[in-house]
Amino acid sequence: MPVKTRLALAALAVLVAAGCSAAPAAAPAPPPQGLTATLTTPTDIDLRWPAGDPAAAGHLLEYANSADGPWTALQYVPRSQTAYRHPDLIPETPFYYRVRDFYGPVSAVVQPGSDDRPGSAGHATPPAAAVPVRTPGDAAAPADVTVVPAEDASVHFTWADRSSDEAGFLVEIRKPGVADFVPVEITDPDTTTCALSLLPDEQGPAFRVRALYYGPLSPVVDRTTGKD
């Protein structure tokens, strides 16, 4: 079973959103404006941006060391988060940043070892043919998600892919006692398995899986780090 690198521990290659076919969908929101980058120490850069589109599921931060790229995914964050610190950077090096909203239908909530998958997205039968990820409702949401605990303190996910043009799948976690889900793992398009090692504060979590697509990119901002 393929294991992807945990979002919180390493940057991921950026996923480029695929085009969609002519399914009914709202016009895309304008790109996020107001991204700022502040050098708060010689090697720490603080990023801030407005909340943006209320229909978005969250934000993807990307960075590069050249204005022309290549661009790398820095972090996926929930929509309520509007600040991020990029720490411990290489001294005297330029860093370029941009942000985009992410969207997509989401599966029902599941817990490790549980067969209780409430909601139509959890039990829906995959259609004969996949549908565009922007299809209204939950027809393109991942279905039949299972989360199986393993002996090595990891959990293994499987799901049915019901979208034809997703940019990838995002696993989201809700820790015990926390109200909101946060992104924790990303997979390639057309993937239907994933594995995640749980941290000590993530025992007894709930999960869901989102089929991704992206909004427009913000303007680029840049800062150059100082001497160490």
Side-chain angles (χ1 to χ4, degrees), residues 6-165:
R6 190 182 183 90
L7 289 179
L9 299 181
L12 300 165
V14 66
L15 300 172
V16 179
C20 64
S21 58
Q33 303 291 326
L35 174 65
T36 63
T38 304
L39 191 65
T40 51
T41 78
T43 57
D44 293 335
I45 295 176
D46 281 359
L47 304 172
R48 295 186 181 278
W49 61 93
D53 183 7
H59 316 283
L60 167 59
L61 298 169
E62 301 170 324
Y63 82 97
N65 295 118
S66 167
D68 298 327
W71 291 88
T72 298
L74 175 60
Q75 190 72 16
Y76 288 79
V77 299
R79 197 184 75 84
S80 59
Q81 183 174 336
T82 57
Y84 181 83
R85 170 164 287 191
H86 197 189
D88 304 322
L89 302 174
I90 301 170
E92 300 180 89
T93 303
F95 285 84
Y96 295 80
Y97 298 95
R98 64 191 189 185
V99 63
R100 67 171 90 183
D101 292 334
F102 68 81
Y103 304 79
V106 69
S107 74
V109 176
V110 295
Q111 291 183 299
S114 172
D115 290 327
D116 182 16
R117 292 174 289 183
S120 60
H123 284 298
T125 300
V131 297
V133 71
R134 291 172 173 80
T135 300
D138 65 4
D144 299 323
V145 178
T146 63
V147 188
V148 179
E151 293 181 358
D152 56 358
S154 69
V155 288
H156 292 185
F157 299 84
T158 63
W159 60 87
D161 178 0
R162 302 195 298 161
S163 50
S164 60
D165 57 352

